Each structure stands twice: as C-alpha cells, then as structure tokens.
Amino acid sequence: MTPAPSPEVLQAPLVVEFPFTRSLGPVQSAFLTGLRERTVLGVRTTDGRVLVPPVEYDPVTADELSDLVEVAPTGTVTTWAWNPASRRGQPLDTPFAWVLVRLDGADTALLHALDAPGPDAVRTGMRVRIRWAEERVGAITDIACFEPYDGAEGGEAVPHSGEFTDPVTGIVAPARLDYTYAPGRAQSRYLKALGDRTTQGERCPSCRKVYVPPRGACPTCGVATDEQVEVGPRGTVTTFCIVNIKARNLDIEVPYVYAHIALDGAGLALHGRVGGIPYDQVRMGLRVEPVWSEDSRYPDHYRPTGEPDADYDTYKELL
Amino acid sequence: MREVAIVAFGQSHHRRDSAEVSEVEMLMPVLHQVLDAVGLRAGEIDFTCSGSSDYLAGRAFSFTMALDGVGAWPPISESHVEMDGAWALYEAWTRLLTGEADTALVYSYGKSSPGDLREVLTRQLDPYYVAPLWPDSVSLAALQAQALLDAEDAEDTGADERALAAVAARSRTAAEDNPHAQVTGSPPPETLLDDPYLVRPLRRHDCPPVGDGAAAVVLAAGDTARRLCRRPAWIRGMDHRTEAHSLGVRDLTRSPSTRLAAERAGAFEAPADLAELHAPFTSQELILRRELGLGEGVRVNPSGGALAANPMMAAGLIRLGEAAAAIHRGAADRALAHATSGPCLQQNLVAVLEGDVL
Ligand SMILES: [Zn+2]
C-alpha cells in the first residue's frame, strides 16, 4: 500500500452569482410601485393594525390582507445598531446605523439604514424621515436611507387605492457570494495527479473497489478511501450516447459521442468524449486512451487505441 | 407512544478553517465515532437524516456528496433538511415514533470558511424588502440586543452590557472543559467591556466564533435503545415553532415561539437540572432564559454553548447531543435542549430529555 502523501491544499476562487427574478402579488406590487412614486403604503389588518412594510397575509391570524393605506415618510426608531464598516451591497458606503423605523401611522417597523454622524447621534425613540433615492425603480432601495428629522410624531394612515400607472409587477434581486473553494484531500490528490497527466484513484480498504475520481469515501462501506492507485491511461467504453445538440460556448461539432469509460484498474467508469473515430462506429468494449491538448489540465477526449475490443465479461460489472 | 432516545453523540473539533478536508472527509470520523459507540455498521441503520446548507458550500445539492460517508449504496432510507441538524433529528424522531424504524442516524455539518458567513446568511432573509439591503447576521443580532437593552423591563431581565459580557465569560470559561470547542477561556466581564464594539451594542465576545464542524447522533426506540446504551437519553417531548418572518412585526425582546415549543414539549411539567441553549449571541441567552423560565439552579451551557463553537447547521444538533451526553454519563437526569435557526431567534426547537433513575 502506498501511504497517502500529505497533499498541498488546493484552493481556487469560486463566485456564485445569480439574478432572482421574482413576481409580486398585488400588495407587494403596490408597496414597491409606491416607493417609486415617493408614497409609502401599508396594509390594514382585520383587527385594525397597520403593517409597514405590508404583507398579503396577517402574520397573526393568516387573514388575507388587501386594505391598503398610506403612511407618512417620517417615523420613530424602535431599535438600532451602529455599523462602523459598511459591507458590499449595503445602503450606504459610510459608517451608518441599521434601524427599525415605525413610520407615523404604522404599527410595525421597517428595516433600513440611518445616515448619522456617529453612534452618539442615534437613540431608540429618535425621529427620522426617509431620504429618497434620486433614481427610483420600484424596489426597497428606492429608500436611499433614513436621516434625522426634528418634527413631531403625527399623521394617521389614510386609505389608498394602491393604483398607479405602470405598476411594478416584478423585481430582479441580484445575488453574489464569493467563496474560496477547497476540494479536500482526495480530490486535491486527484487534481494534482492530473497536472502530471496521470489519473489517481483510491481503493476502499474494505471492499477493495477503486474509485475514480476519488472523493475520499466509499459510498458502499462508508469508510475513508486512502490507498492511492494509479489507473489507466487506457480504458474501455462501457456505454455511450450520441449528442446531437450543440452546446453554447462549446466548440465541438455535432454529432459527437459521450461515453462512460472504465480506465484500466478502476472500479467504476468516468465519463468523457470519444473522438478520432466516426460517431457511428463507437461501440461498447472499444479500447480508448486519453488525448491531452496543450496546457490542458484534463484529457480533451479519448481516442481508439487500435487494440481488439475488450471482452464483455471484463467490464460488465462496471456498467 | 413509543419511547425514543438519543443513544450516541459525536462531534468534530470545531475550527476556524478546515480547507484541507472536504465536507465528507470532515464528517466521516464523526459518523464512525457514533456508530462505534453503539456497535453498529453503516447499513445497519434503519433511517438516516441530515442537515446542511448549499449556501455554505456554494453549490447545489451539496448534501449528496456527504452521503458517501454513510454508505448510501445499496440504497438506504434517507432524508435531508436544508436546516440545522436539530430539525433533521426532529424528522428522524417522528419516523421512529411511527414504528417504521428502530434506529436512526442523524448528522449535520457546515463549513463556513469558504465564504463570508455574514454575507451568506443574508440570503435567508425576505428577498423583497430585506435581502436587497444586505443586512449581515451580526447587525441583525445587534438590533435585537439593543432592543433588549432599551426595553422598559430591562431591569427585570437584568439586561445591560455587563450582563451580556458575563454570559460570554461564563460560556467560554466553561468551554475549557470541552475538547471540541473553538474558543475557550475568557477574561472577566469587566475586562471584556473595555473592548471596542463590533456592531454596537455587540462586542466581539457577544458574538459566536465562525467555524467549521460536524456532529452526529444515533436515535433508537424502546428496547433497542436499552441494548445500545447503558443510560439512554429519552426524548420526552420535542416541538418547534417559528415567528413571523418580518423582523419589524416582532417584539425582538421576546421569543414566543420558544415558549410555545417548550410548553408543547413538556418543558414546564418538571424542573430541568441542565439546559443546552443555542444562543449564538449573548443577548439571546437572556431572552431564552426568560422564555424557558430557567432559574439559578439550572446549569446552562456547561459545554460553552454556541459562543464557544457555532458551526452552522450543526450547532443546534450539538445542543441536543451535549444534553444527551450529560444524561448518558449521569451528569444530568432531566435536560432541556434548544436549537435556533434564522435571524434573531426566528425558528426555535425545544426538546426535553430524561435518563432512567438507575
Ligand atoms: Zn468499500
């Protein structure tokens, strides 16, 4: 048994970025369209409370809500937290306070940022007002932030139709998270071996099966696989399909063959493209070897070795 | 009703960064630890349930990778929750209560090190009104802490910054006896108050460490439990409840969901001698103590709690595991375990565990 070398930890940046396109119901649509028009709407519950921001179902009774009201752009801080360093995506890029604000006429509070010179200028109970964003699109960020305001509390919620011309019916909420991906011991060893153009599998100490690519565990026995085994480079096509749809950003002419290939010595097949042979001549049992293109970190495709086909019994367990 | 117990508990050493191992590589020793404790092999477990999160891993269906560690071939009876493993335990418990299984393996894990946890957690917020503002998890907890400090009844709860520091000091001092903890030892509360604020009113000691870790428990029913464990930790009751998702409609100084879950779990029927509370922020322990009616006679978080190690998706399961382990070794007879999920104690689970009188 080859003792496992202590691998250098591989790491790479991984960015996950996605726009969520969300549709709005009637209440959320009215609220966000209202923000675009500098109008703050809430919804009145069956027991008379005014929820701002509004929701379509009462959080206490689950009653459906649709009775829209307009509240003031001024309000009172119900709690706060001083954020000394703004983070990506947050409403202000200078230090600011997170605040929950109960707008005049509302019974619940809205989360947003408060632009204030420092924590000593903020307290629970302080009066604030909305600072509108210059460009408004129908999103919570149409409120740029809150700012201190010295007017007294006042203003009842007044009924509002919730009707606007050109209402906003959906939002796109972009998200981006940055990671540093580290593949762990087994996959690091596999990837490093690929850099030397060899394929490294790992053998299960219990059932003796050789996994490639290895993930560090035998899914049958639930134990660590830590014995290094070099497999291939040649292998046998165990099954295949013919691809007729051209993938975007992929410079391969269709039709082409995608196959399961059992590398010699491996306990299961991995997949790869088969080239160097007309697509309609690829068959189970075909013997293949990897073709590396210059500078690539994995085989570009597999091509026939010219050997006689493998006997079915030699790979039937790997199908 | 069937009796169901936690019969084994294991956890990893929780660390700031575990880049050298994949999730399954981090998890597997913990799985072996609990299976060895009850003398079962992978494949002999009737039901398996796990908790983890794709947003921590940064990829879809990430839990399938970890399944290699439980021997998922040939096919096993398995389920997953995209939550803390405490909720996976709840699912496994109900499965055992139905009589469809006699044993269950529950595990959970999270590696926070690949991403920026404070940003990652913003993705669990309301996507219309809140998430576009990217309010990070520490800031939301700080809003809750300030509400507690400013509350009219703050004198009753004893909520001031020194009380928060006392929670931190007590937890991290207790963690000196916990070989798995990530942060151990603490200066006295008075000294902690000299530190600068992280997000006012929270200082660094008011917040949990960010780290990677895994945990697992084995559940068993009736006589199977007695056969596998000298002193099973019987689950006398368990319940979980949630608050409204909008922070602004809640009284952040209270946790009615915790109180209701505790009531339904039977927590108020007899006093407990130990409580493992999942309170990642110091202020949250004060809130939970009040809702659960915990007096001075109850040992709270002798493990150090989430302030000593808070691996996402596992820290709640660890509370159940630590409470059960105390019963296993005779250090407690009746224990409460609490798990939370979401911002500002949004979802809460309470379990009541008891050991037979030997
Ligand atoms: Zn095996």
Side-chain angles (χ1 to χ4, degrees), chain A residues 140-277:
Chain A
I140 191 66
T141 45
D142 289 353
I143 297 176
C145 62
F146 282 89
E147 59 191 19
Y149 166 70
D150 56 13
E153 185 165 356
E156 295 279 299
V158 295
H160 192 285
S161 69
E163 283 167 24
F164 297 94
T165 53
D166 191 20
V168 177
T169 57
I171 59 166
V172 177
R176 176 194 165 115
L177 294 170
D178 285 72
Y179 299 90
T180 302
Y181 182 69
R185 288 186 189 118
Q187 293 187 84
S188 287
R189 284 193 286 253
Y190 173 76
L191 292 169
K192 286 172 74 72
L194 273 185
D196 301 330
R197 300 202 168 183
T198 62
T199 301
Q200 199 74 251
E202 284 190 357
R203 191 188 305 278
C204 171
S206 175
C207 69
R208 310 299 293 159
K209 191 166 175 171
V210 174
Y211 289 92
V212 54
R215 293 212 294 260
C218 172
T220 303
C221 306
V223 297
T225 55
D226 57 358
E227 184 185 344
Q228 309 293 293
V229 182
E230 190 176 326
V231 298
R234 295 184 166 190
T236 301
V237 171
T238 62
T239 184
F240 63 95
C241 66
I242 298 166
V243 179
N244 286 290
I245 299 168
K246 197 164 168 54
R248 200 158 43 155
N249 307 327
L250 195 60
D251 191 22
I252 300 170
E253 285 308 310
V254 293
Y256 64 87
V257 171
Y258 207 66
H260 272 192
I261 296 161
L263 296 180
D264 295 346
L268 74 168
L270 45 69
H271 39 142
R273 184 168 63 87
V274 175
I277 180 174

Side-chain angles (χ1 to χ4, degrees), chain A residues 79 87 124 179-180 185 215 219 222, chain B residues 25 32 55 71-72 114 143 150:
Chain A
T79 186
R87 303 166 71 86
T124 296
Y179 299 90
T180 302
R185 288 186 189 118
R215 293 212 294 260
Chain B
E25 289 167 339
H32 292 171
Y55 279 81
L143 287 168
D150 284 339

Side-chain angles (χ1 to χ4, degrees), chain B:
Chain B
M1 188 131 100
R2 282 187 117 196
E3 287 185 303
V4 175
I6 296 174
V7 294
F9 167 57
Q11 62 182 315
S12 63
H13 293 297
H14 309 296
R15 309 208 328 259
R16 178 63 190 91
D17 193 339
S18 59
E20 75 284 4
V21 288
S22 67
E23 281 88 344
V24 68
E25 289 167 339
M26 177 176 74
L27 177 66
M28 214 158 19
V30 179
L31 296 172
H32 292 171
Q33 191 186 333
V34 291
L35 292 172
D36 288 352
V38 292
L40 292 173
R41 282 174 302 147
E44 293 178 324
I45 293 282
D46 295 335
F47 180 61
T48 298
C49 199
S50 61
S52 65
S53 170
D54 283 354
Y55 279 81
L56 292 174
R59 61 186 191 277
F61 291 99
S62 56
F63 76 94
T64 59
M65 296 298 207
L67 273 177
D68 287 348
V70 296
W73 177 264
I76 59 170
S77 173
E78 180 271 339
S79 185
H80 175 259
V81 298
E82 195 75 9
M83 282 192 83
D84 189 290
W87 277 263
L89 187 148
Y90 185 89
E91 180 176 338
W93 177 62
T94 56
R95 176 64 69 104
L96 263 61
L97 289 179
T98 66
E100 281 184 44
D102 285 330
T103 55
L105 173 64
V106 178
Y107 65 88
S108 61
Y109 61 92
K111 284 179 65 169
S112 297
S113 58
D116 180 329
L117 184 64
R118 286 167 70 177
E119 276 176 21
V120 169
L121 291 177
T122 63
R123 300 302 92 190
Q124 69 183 336
L125 303 168
D126 159 27
Y128 300 98
Y129 301 156
V130 182
L133 305 175
W134 294 83
D136 63 279
S137 48
V138 174
S139 295
L140 294 176
L143 287 168
Q144 184 174 36
Q146 187 65 49
L148 193 70
L149 296 174
D150 284 339
E152 284 173 7
D153 59 4
E155 268 180 44
D156 303 342
T157 54
D160 56 26
E161 292 185 8
R162 195 195 169 283
L164 303 187
V167 170
R170 194 208 73 238
S171 299
R172 288 175 178 142
T173 302
E176 288 173 349
D177 296 329
N178 178 353
H180 303 281
Q182 186 178 336
V183 181
T184 59
S186 172
E190 294 72 20
T191 311
L192 290 175
L193 291 176
D194 293 336
D195 289 348
Y197 291 110
L198 185 61
V199 176
R200 184 170 170 172
L202 299 180
R203 297 177 172 86
R204 190 162 295 282
H205 63 254
D206 293 307
C207 305
V210 174
D212 302 350
V217 304
V218 176
L219 298 182
D223 288 341
T224 307
R226 291 186 182 87
R227 183 165 55 76
L228 296 176
C229 181
R230 198 181 61 88
R231 193 182 194 225
W234 300 108
I235 301 171
R236 298 301 187 207
M238 180 158 42
D239 196 272
H240 63 100
R241 300 281 158 168
T242 187
E243 311 280 346
H245 74 259
S246 175
L247 294 171
V249 308
R250 292 162 54 187
D251 175 352
L252 292 175
T253 71
R254 307 302 301 230
S255 183
S257 59
T258 297
R259 181 181 290 260
L260 184 58
E263 191 181 305
R264 299 298 174 99
F268 302 126
E269 289 165 17
D273 49 24
L274 181 146
E276 280 284 341
L277 306 181
H278 187 191
F281 296 91
T282 51
S283 46
Q284 294 176 343
E285 182 179 306
L286 301 189
I287 294 169
L288 293 170
R289 277 175 175 271
R290 170 160 65 174
E291 299 298 351
L292 293 168
L294 300 181
E296 292 301 311
V298 185
R299 279 170 294 146
V300 173
N301 290 351
S303 64
L307 289 163
N310 189 40
M312 294 307 299
M313 305 298 137
L317 181 62
I318 291 169
R319 305 282 71 78
L320 285 136
E322 289 281 6
I327 288 171
H328 294 161
R329 61 176 182 266
D333 292 325
R334 181 176 162 94
L336 298 188
H338 160 269
T340 196
S341 182
C344 302
L345 299 172
Q346 184 167 16
Q347 293 112 19
N348 295 285
L349 178 149
V350 177
V352 178
L353 305 176
E354 277 185 352
D356 289 325
V357 178
L358 294 177

